[in-house]
Amino acid sequence: VLLLAYFALQVIYARRKYKISPPETAGHPEFERIFRAQANCSEYFPIFVSLLWVAGIFFHQGAAAACGLLYLYARFKYFQGYTVAAQGRLGPMYASARVLWLLMGLAVAGLLAHFLLP
């Protein structure tokens, strides 16, 4: 939640810097990159939290927590890269997607073990 708050504050600061009042979402290219980075991170947050929760309950809390920290770090690097240049988001975006797939695998493995094994 703190990371999302940080991203939202960056959008607020960019709105002030480039004099773009809400609900406007277009304007200076740097503002648009910051706005899109924040929106993209917010869109993926429910998926991340859901997978983290299921993996933590049904697989292992430590493994889920480690994946959660990796994901948050990758998203932070994604935001930083995207604010500089659109191409700067690609490496961290792929890294965060891999972590989401890993969390998905852990969640599925935990659910299968819980419901299918005696």
PDB file of all heavy atoms in Angstrom, residues 39-59:
ATOM      1  N   ALA A  39      -0.959   4.110 -13.072  1.00  0.00           N
ATOM      2  CA  ALA A  39      -2.188   3.387 -13.423  1.00  0.00           C
ATOM      3  C   ALA A  39      -1.899   1.903 -13.648  1.00  0.00           C
ATOM      4  O   ALA A  39      -2.656   1.038 -13.182  1.00  0.00           O
ATOM      5  CB  ALA A  39      -2.824   4.006 -14.659  1.00  0.00           C
ATOM      6  N   ASN A  40      -0.821   1.593 -14.353  1.00  0.00           N
ATOM      7  CA  ASN A  40      -0.467   0.195 -14.613  1.00  0.00           C
ATOM      8  C   ASN A  40      -0.189  -0.556 -13.318  1.00  0.00           C
ATOM      9  O   ASN A  40      -0.619  -1.701 -13.152  1.00  0.00           O
ATOM     10  CB  ASN A  40       0.738   0.105 -15.545  1.00  0.00           C
ATOM     11  CG  ASN A  40       0.421   0.559 -16.950  1.00  0.00           C
ATOM     12  OD1 ASN A  40      -0.731   0.706 -17.322  1.00  0.00           O
ATOM     13  ND2 ASN A  40       1.457   0.803 -17.729  1.00  0.00           N
ATOM     14  N   CYS A  41       0.537   0.067 -12.413  1.00  0.00           N
ATOM     15  CA  CYS A  41       0.835  -0.585 -11.133  1.00  0.00           C
ATOM     16  C   CYS A  41      -0.440  -0.804 -10.329  1.00  0.00           C
ATOM     17  O   CYS A  41      -0.613  -1.853  -9.699  1.00  0.00           O
ATOM     18  CB  CYS A  41       1.850   0.234 -10.345  1.00  0.00           C
ATOM     19  SG  CYS A  41       3.490   0.221 -11.078  1.00  0.00           S
ATOM     20  N   SER A  42      -1.344   0.154 -10.360  1.00  0.00           N
ATOM     21  CA  SER A  42      -2.611   0.021  -9.635  1.00  0.00           C
ATOM     22  C   SER A  42      -3.482  -1.083 -10.227  1.00  0.00           C
ATOM     23  O   SER A  42      -4.182  -1.785  -9.496  1.00  0.00           O
ATOM     24  CB  SER A  42      -3.382   1.338  -9.660  1.00  0.00           C
ATOM     25  OG  SER A  42      -2.670   2.325  -8.970  1.00  0.00           O
ATOM     26  N   GLU A  43      -3.432  -1.247 -11.548  1.00  0.00           N
ATOM     27  CA  GLU A  43      -4.241  -2.269 -12.204  1.00  0.00           C
ATOM     28  C   GLU A  43      -3.796  -3.679 -11.818  1.00  0.00           C
ATOM     29  O   GLU A  43      -4.622  -4.583 -11.711  1.00  0.00           O
ATOM     30  CB  GLU A  43      -4.173  -2.103 -13.719  1.00  0.00           C
ATOM     31  CG  GLU A  43      -4.894  -0.883 -14.219  1.00  0.00           C
ATOM     32  CD  GLU A  43      -4.548  -0.518 -15.652  1.00  0.00           C
ATOM     33  OE1 GLU A  43      -3.684  -1.194 -16.255  1.00  0.00           O
ATOM     34  OE2 GLU A  43      -5.140   0.439 -16.164  1.00  0.00           O
ATOM     35  N   TYR A  44      -2.511  -3.874 -11.619  1.00  0.00           N
ATOM     36  CA  TYR A  44      -2.000  -5.201 -11.291  1.00  0.00           C
ATOM     37  C   TYR A  44      -2.013  -5.505  -9.794  1.00  0.00           C
ATOM     38  O   TYR A  44      -1.828  -6.655  -9.401  1.00  0.00           O
ATOM     39  CB  TYR A  44      -0.577  -5.379 -11.837  1.00  0.00           C
ATOM     40  CG  TYR A  44      -0.566  -5.779 -13.285  1.00  0.00           C
ATOM     41  CD1 TYR A  44      -0.553  -4.824 -14.284  1.00  0.00           C
ATOM     42  CD2 TYR A  44      -0.602  -7.115 -13.649  1.00  0.00           C
ATOM     43  CE1 TYR A  44      -0.567  -5.177 -15.613  1.00  0.00           C
ATOM     44  CE2 TYR A  44      -0.613  -7.491 -14.973  1.00  0.00           C
ATOM     45  CZ  TYR A  44      -0.596  -6.519 -15.953  1.00  0.00           C
ATOM     46  OH  TYR A  44      -0.607  -6.889 -17.273  1.00  0.00           O
ATOM     47  N   PHE A  45      -2.239  -4.514  -8.961  1.00  0.00           N
ATOM     48  CA  PHE A  45      -2.162  -4.722  -7.517  1.00  0.00           C
ATOM     49  C   PHE A  45      -3.169  -5.742  -6.984  1.00  0.00           C
ATOM     50  O   PHE A  45      -2.798  -6.591  -6.169  1.00  0.00           O
ATOM     51  CB  PHE A  45      -2.284  -3.385  -6.778  1.00  0.00           C
ATOM     52  CG  PHE A  45      -1.872  -3.475  -5.346  1.00  0.00           C
ATOM     53  CD1 PHE A  45      -0.546  -3.635  -4.994  1.00  0.00           C
ATOM     54  CD2 PHE A  45      -2.819  -3.418  -4.338  1.00  0.00           C
ATOM     55  CE1 PHE A  45      -0.158  -3.738  -3.664  1.00  0.00           C
ATOM     56  CE2 PHE A  45      -2.451  -3.512  -3.013  1.00  0.00           C
ATOM     57  CZ  PHE A  45      -1.111  -3.679  -2.674  1.00  0.00           C
ATOM     58  N   PRO A  46      -4.444  -5.731  -7.417  1.00  0.00           N
ATOM     59  CA  PRO A  46      -5.374  -6.755  -6.906  1.00  0.00           C
ATOM     60  C   PRO A  46      -4.951  -8.181  -7.274  1.00  0.00           C
ATOM     61  O   PRO A  46      -5.108  -9.101  -6.470  1.00  0.00           O
ATOM     62  CB  PRO A  46      -6.710  -6.399  -7.562  1.00  0.00           C
ATOM     63  CG  PRO A  46      -6.595  -4.969  -7.930  1.00  0.00           C
ATOM     64  CD  PRO A  46      -5.140  -4.739  -8.236  1.00  0.00           C
ATOM     65  N   ILE A  47      -4.410  -8.364  -8.463  1.00  0.00           N
ATOM     66  CA  ILE A  47      -3.926  -9.686  -8.873  1.00  0.00           C
ATOM     67  C   ILE A  47      -2.778 -10.110  -7.966  1.00  0.00           C
ATOM     68  O   ILE A  47      -2.745 -11.241  -7.468  1.00  0.00           O
ATOM     69  CB  ILE A  47      -3.479  -9.664 -10.353  1.00  0.00           C
ATOM     70  CG1 ILE A  47      -4.664  -9.352 -11.253  1.00  0.00           C
ATOM     71  CG2 ILE A  47      -2.807 -10.986 -10.740  1.00  0.00           C
ATOM     72  CD1 ILE A  47      -4.277  -9.010 -12.677  1.00  0.00           C
ATOM     73  N   PHE A  48      -1.845  -9.198  -7.734  1.00  0.00           N
ATOM     74  CA  PHE A  48      -0.702  -9.486  -6.878  1.00  0.00           C
ATOM     75  C   PHE A  48      -1.134  -9.856  -5.465  1.00  0.00           C
ATOM     76  O   PHE A  48      -0.697 -10.870  -4.914  1.00  0.00           O
ATOM     77  CB  PHE A  48       0.244  -8.279  -6.856  1.00  0.00           C
ATOM     78  CG  PHE A  48       1.215  -8.279  -5.725  1.00  0.00           C
ATOM     79  CD1 PHE A  48       2.203  -9.241  -5.628  1.00  0.00           C
ATOM     80  CD2 PHE A  48       1.134  -7.311  -4.730  1.00  0.00           C
ATOM     81  CE1 PHE A  48       3.104  -9.237  -4.569  1.00  0.00           C
ATOM     82  CE2 PHE A  48       2.025  -7.304  -3.673  1.00  0.00           C
ATOM     83  CZ  PHE A  48       3.011  -8.269  -3.591  1.00  0.00           C
ATOM     84  N   VAL A  49      -2.007  -9.066  -4.883  1.00  0.00           N
ATOM     85  CA  VAL A  49      -2.430  -9.312  -3.498  1.00  0.00           C
ATOM     86  C   VAL A  49      -3.173 -10.646  -3.394  1.00  0.00           C
ATOM     87  O   VAL A  49      -2.960 -11.412  -2.446  1.00  0.00           O
ATOM     88  CB  VAL A  49      -3.289  -8.144  -2.970  1.00  0.00           C
ATOM     89  CG1 VAL A  49      -3.936  -8.486  -1.645  1.00  0.00           C
ATOM     90  CG2 VAL A  49      -2.440  -6.905  -2.824  1.00  0.00           C
ATOM     91  N   SER A  50      -4.013 -10.944  -4.364  1.00  0.00           N
ATOM     92  CA  SER A  50      -4.753 -12.210  -4.344  1.00  0.00           C
ATOM     93  C   SER A  50      -3.806 -13.407  -4.414  1.00  0.00           C
ATOM     94  O   SER A  50      -3.939 -14.368  -3.644  1.00  0.00           O
ATOM     95  CB  SER A  50      -5.738 -12.274  -5.511  1.00  0.00           C
ATOM     96  OG  SER A  50      -6.652 -11.220  -5.442  1.00  0.00           O
ATOM     97  N   LEU A  51      -2.864 -13.368  -5.343  1.00  0.00           N
ATOM     98  CA  LEU A  51      -1.915 -14.470  -5.472  1.00  0.00           C
ATOM     99  C   LEU A  51      -1.024 -14.581  -4.245  1.00  0.00           C
ATOM    100  O   LEU A  51      -0.724 -15.691  -3.787  1.00  0.00           O
ATOM    101  CB  LEU A  51      -1.068 -14.294  -6.735  1.00  0.00           C
ATOM    102  CG  LEU A  51      -1.793 -14.498  -8.052  1.00  0.00           C
ATOM    103  CD1 LEU A  51      -0.877 -14.147  -9.219  1.00  0.00           C
ATOM    104  CD2 LEU A  51      -2.289 -15.928  -8.175  1.00  0.00           C
ATOM    105  N   LEU A  52      -0.599 -13.457  -3.720  1.00  0.00           N
ATOM    106  CA  LEU A  52       0.240 -13.456  -2.525  1.00  0.00           C
ATOM    107  C   LEU A  52      -0.501 -14.092  -1.355  1.00  0.00           C
ATOM    108  O   LEU A  52       0.055 -14.911  -0.612  1.00  0.00           O
ATOM    109  CB  LEU A  52       0.654 -12.021  -2.189  1.00  0.00           C
ATOM    110  CG  LEU A  52       1.576 -11.828  -1.001  1.00  0.00           C
ATOM    111  CD1 LEU A  52       2.962 -12.370  -1.326  1.00  0.00           C
ATOM    112  CD2 LEU A  52       1.673 -10.352  -0.649  1.00  0.00           C
ATOM    113  N   TRP A  53      -1.746 -13.735  -1.191  1.00  0.00           N
ATOM    114  CA  TRP A  53      -2.566 -14.248  -0.103  1.00  0.00           C
ATOM    115  C   TRP A  53      -2.745 -15.760  -0.217  1.00  0.00           C
ATOM    116  O   TRP A  53      -2.520 -16.501   0.744  1.00  0.00           O
ATOM    117  CB  TRP A  53      -3.908 -13.523  -0.125  1.00  0.00           C
ATOM    118  CG  TRP A  53      -4.870 -13.958   0.923  1.00  0.00           C
ATOM    119  CD1 TRP A  53      -4.782 -13.710   2.268  1.00  0.00           C
ATOM    120  CD2 TRP A  53      -6.069 -14.690   0.730  1.00  0.00           C
ATOM    121  NE1 TRP A  53      -5.859 -14.253   2.906  1.00  0.00           N
ATOM    122  CE2 TRP A  53      -6.669 -14.869   1.990  1.00  0.00           C
ATOM    123  CE3 TRP A  53      -6.700 -15.214  -0.395  1.00  0.00           C
ATOM    124  CZ2 TRP A  53      -7.863 -15.540   2.154  1.00  0.00           C
ATOM    125  CZ3 TRP A  53      -7.888 -15.885  -0.227  1.00  0.00           C
ATOM    126  CH2 TRP A  53      -8.459 -16.045   1.034  1.00  0.00           C
ATOM    127  N   VAL A  54      -3.137 -16.241  -1.401  1.00  0.00           N
ATOM    128  CA  VAL A  54      -3.378 -17.676  -1.586  1.00  0.00           C
ATOM    129  C   VAL A  54      -2.077 -18.464  -1.450  1.00  0.00           C
ATOM    130  O   VAL A  54      -2.043 -19.506  -0.794  1.00  0.00           O
ATOM    131  CB  VAL A  54      -4.071 -17.945  -2.938  1.00  0.00           C
ATOM    132  CG1 VAL A  54      -4.186 -19.437  -3.207  1.00  0.00           C
ATOM    133  CG2 VAL A  54      -5.445 -17.299  -2.966  1.00  0.00           C
ATOM    134  N   ALA A  55      -1.002 -17.975  -2.043  1.00  0.00           N
ATOM    135  CA  ALA A  55       0.284 -18.668  -1.926  1.00  0.00           C
ATOM    136  C   ALA A  55       0.761 -18.696  -0.477  1.00  0.00           C
ATOM    137  O   ALA A  55       1.315 -19.697  -0.023  1.00  0.00           O
ATOM    138  CB  ALA A  55       1.327 -18.002  -2.821  1.00  0.00           C
ATOM    139  N   GLY A  56       0.553 -17.627   0.248  1.00  0.00           N
ATOM    140  CA  GLY A  56       0.971 -17.574   1.637  1.00  0.00           C
ATOM    141  C   GLY A  56       0.187 -18.513   2.533  1.00  0.00           C
ATOM    142  O   GLY A  56       0.735 -19.120   3.451  1.00  0.00           O
ATOM    143  N   ILE A  57      -1.091 -18.658   2.266  1.00  0.00           N
ATOM    144  CA  ILE A  57      -1.940 -19.528   3.095  1.00  0.00           C
ATOM    145  C   ILE A  57      -1.749 -21.001   2.736  1.00  0.00           C
ATOM    146  O   ILE A  57      -1.601 -21.850   3.605  1.00  0.00           O
ATOM    147  CB  ILE A  57      -3.419 -19.129   2.970  1.00  0.00           C
ATOM    148  CG1 ILE A  57      -3.636 -17.799   3.678  1.00  0.00           C
ATOM    149  CG2 ILE A  57      -4.338 -20.205   3.553  1.00  0.00           C
ATOM    150  CD1 ILE A  57      -5.018 -17.234   3.529  1.00  0.00           C
ATOM    151  N   PHE A  58      -1.740 -21.310   1.449  1.00  0.00           N
ATOM    152  CA  PHE A  58      -1.758 -22.709   1.038  1.00  0.00           C
ATOM    153  C   PHE A  58      -0.395 -23.289   0.677  1.00  0.00           C
ATOM    154  O   PHE A  58      -0.256 -24.503   0.615  1.00  0.00           O
ATOM    155  CB  PHE A  58      -2.729 -22.902  -0.134  1.00  0.00           C
ATOM    156  CG  PHE A  58      -4.156 -22.709   0.261  1.00  0.00           C
ATOM    157  CD1 PHE A  58      -4.816 -21.532  -0.027  1.00  0.00           C
ATOM    158  CD2 PHE A  58      -4.838 -23.706   0.936  1.00  0.00           C
ATOM    159  CE1 PHE A  58      -6.134 -21.349   0.351  1.00  0.00           C
ATOM    160  CE2 PHE A  58      -6.158 -23.533   1.320  1.00  0.00           C
ATOM    161  CZ  PHE A  58      -6.812 -22.356   1.026  1.00  0.00           C
ATOM    162  N   PHE A  59       0.602 -22.457   0.399  1.00  0.00           N
ATOM    163  CA  PHE A  59       1.919 -22.998   0.066  1.00  0.00           C
ATOM    164  C   PHE A  59       2.884 -22.795   1.224  1.00  0.00           C
ATOM    165  O   PHE A  59       3.143 -23.695   1.983  1.00  0.00           O
ATOM    166  CB  PHE A  59       2.457 -22.375  -1.233  1.00  0.00           C
ATOM    167  CG  PHE A  59       3.707 -23.037  -1.716  1.00  0.00           C
ATOM    168  CD1 PHE A  59       3.657 -24.235  -2.397  1.00  0.00           C
ATOM    169  CD2 PHE A  59       4.944 -22.472  -1.465  1.00  0.00           C
ATOM    170  CE1 PHE A  59       4.806 -24.867  -2.825  1.00  0.00           C
ATOM    171  CE2 PHE A  59       6.105 -23.083  -1.887  1.00  0.00           C
ATOM    172  CZ  PHE A  59       6.043 -24.286  -2.574  1.00  0.00           C
TER     173      PHE A  59
END
